Amino acid sequence: MARIHIANMTCGGCVKGVTATLRTAAADTDLSVALDRHEITLADAVAAAALAALRADGWDAREAATA
């Protein structure tokens, strides 16, 4: 699973916007959102496309640091 940090995802409305972007870029993938950490988790196979789509829509998205 890939984790993407989205610095400017700060509220429920942002979660809706991010989810809408991802449903367009990777419609069939499962994803989870952790608003408190500003992160989404989704399949590795769609991570690059998801990052590109998020950035194109103005989200401050980057690969999350691994622990």
Side-chain angles (χ1 to χ4, degrees):
M1 296 302 280
R3 291 182 12 238
I4 298 175
H5 183 267
I6 306 168
N8 58 343
M9 181 178 71
T10 59
C11 67
C14 294
V15 170
K16 287 181 183 181
V18 164
T19 302
T21 295
L22 294 174
R23 290 294 171 224
T24 300
D28 294 329
T29 194
D30 288 332
L31 63 102
S32 64
V33 178
L35 181 58
D36 59 327
R37 292 190 323 263
H38 308 277
E39 285 184 1
I40 58 165
T41 304
L42 67 169
D44 289 329
V46 297
L51 268 172
L54 288 164
R55 289 174 179 159
D57 279 358
W59 297 103
D60 183 9
R62 60 179 168 76
E63 290 183 44
T66 57

